[in-house]
Amino acid sequence: MSTLPVYFLSHGGGPWPWMLDQYGGRYDALKASLEAIPVELGARPRAVLVVTAHWEAPEPRISSSAAPGMIYDYGGFPDYTYRIRYGAPGAPDVAARVQALLGAAGMVSHLDGERGFDHGTFSALAPMYPDAGVPIVQLSLKQGLDPAEHLAMGRALAPLRNEGVLIVGSGLSYHNLRQFGGAGAQASHVFDAWLRETMALPPAERSARLLAWEQAPAARQAHPREEHLLPLMVVVGAAEQDAGHVQYHEEAFMGALAVSSFRLGTAGTA
């Protein structure tokens, strides 16, 4: 089986795929970029492993239910968005494989048979696979949010790319909810430019810059807390020797913000 690329996705806000008629086209570019991924891959993956910004644990946890439920981890949205369903199956065998790979790298992790899909997962995957036909496993971040630990997690999981498992990091390249709009425009543009420049660098230099991401211009204005950036570290670790490409970029997301998604590796090889 050919080696799958990996993706870091800026997943947007809340349950946006179920609210497109209320957003007046503001999500059109993001939606199109997500819809393009299955076309790029050329064939459905065996499963998708989502490293989600919306789950943290003292040691990494892996969703292992065969039929995950839903977690409505947002507030202030219409009532119907707390009843939406994305009925993709889980993949207990893939969850066990993830745990084994982490264990082989000396990392303790835990299977979680209760964890449902959070919006970082279902809002990103619904435009990609609207029929919910591809099994999904979620992987948490590790508390402490150490970039080096998350790069190492990705390195451990790299064999999945040759086993038909698509590795996706779901976060946001800008995540400062107190300045989500015009107030955050300058910081988002400065940081996003640094991030796009970094992702285009040769592998060793790219990893070194990501490890020191707090030194980037406007870093803490863009990410007062870095949980929405850390999924990027995992996907970079899983494809550390591959070139990075901008998968999606917008200069005026939600009217003012610069946001990006990235692919590492060659698409169209599934």
Side-chain angles (χ1 to χ4, degrees), residues 51-77:
V51 184
T52 171
H54 290 269
W55 191 15
E56 299 174 36
E59 295 168 332
R61 298 187 71 84
I62 306 149
S63 66
S64 58
S65 171
M70 299 285 285
I71 299 175
Y72 304 112
D73 53 342
Y74 41 74
F77 288 90

Side-chain angles (χ1 to χ4, degrees), residues 110-131:
H110 305 276
L111 299 178
D112 188 326
E114 302 299 320
R115 180 75 182 185
F117 297 142
D118 61 58
H119 86 262
T121 295
F122 62 76
S123 289
L125 270 292
M128 292 171 59
Y129 298 108
D131 65 354

Side-chain angles (χ1 to χ4, degrees), residues 1 4-5 41 43-50 88-95 97-98 125 128-129 133-138 160-161 163-168:
M1 180 172 291
L4 289 170
L41 295 175
R44 289 198 174 205
R46 168 188 167 201
V48 180
L49 174 64
V50 180
D93 60 328
V94 174
R97 175 64 170 150
V98 170
L125 270 292
M128 292 171 59
Y129 298 108
V134 178
I136 299 171
V137 172
Q138 295 177 124
L160 294 173
R161 299 177 60 200
E163 300 172 10
V165 178
L166 180 66
I167 300 174
V168 168

Side-chain angles (χ1 to χ4, degrees), residues 45-262:
R46 168 188 167 201
V48 180
L49 174 64
V50 180
V51 184
T52 171
H54 290 269
W55 191 15
E56 299 174 36
E59 295 168 332
R61 298 187 71 84
I62 306 149
S63 66
S64 58
S65 171
M70 299 285 285
I71 299 175
Y72 304 112
D73 53 342
Y74 41 74
F77 288 90
D79 287 347
Y80 74 87
T81 66
Y82 299 89
R83 297 187 297 273
I84 60 177
R85 298 288 301 171
Y86 186 68
D93 60 328
V94 174
R97 175 64 170 150
V98 170
Q99 185 180 41
L101 288 170
L102 293 174
M107 302 176 200
V108 176
S109 63
H110 305 276
L111 299 178
D112 188 326
E114 302 299 320
R115 180 75 182 185
F117 297 142
D118 61 58
H119 86 262
T121 295
F122 62 76
S123 289
L125 270 292
M128 292 171 59
Y129 298 108
D131 65 354
V134 178
I136 299 171
V137 172
Q138 295 177 124
L139 173 63
S140 79
L141 301 176
K142 186 175 185 293
Q143 287 177 358
L145 304 178
D146 183 338
E149 289 185 324
H150 289 81
L151 275 169
M153 286 168 59
R155 292 175 187 131
L157 297 172
L160 294 173
R161 299 177 60 200
N162 293 308
E163 300 172 10
V165 178
L166 180 66
I167 300 174
V168 168
S170 181
L172 265 175
S173 62
Y174 173 87
H175 195 256
N176 184 340
L177 295 182
R178 293 187 176 182
Q179 295 185 331
F180 207 77
Q186 182 176 0
S188 76
H189 283 257
V190 169
F191 182 77
D192 201 80
W194 175 89
L195 192 59
R196 283 179 283 122
E197 177 185 273
T198 296
M199 290 299 293
L201 292 171
E205 189 175 355
R206 178 179 64 206
S207 293
R209 292 232 308 191
L210 288 173
L211 287 172
W213 75 272
E214 288 181 276
Q215 299 174 21
R220 280 300 179 188
Q221 292 95 322
H223 292 279
R225 191 173 185 275
E226 58 266 41
E227 80 286 345
H228 274 69
L229 185 65
L230 265 292
L232 175 63
M233 310 298 177
V234 181
V235 299
V236 168
E240 199 162 18
Q241 300 308 310
D242 290 352
H245 309 271
V246 175
Q247 177 72 19
Y248 153 76
H249 175 69
E250 248 187 287
E251 291 285 318
F253 177 69
M254 301 303 288
L257 302 172
V259 294
S260 295
S261 299
F262 300 95

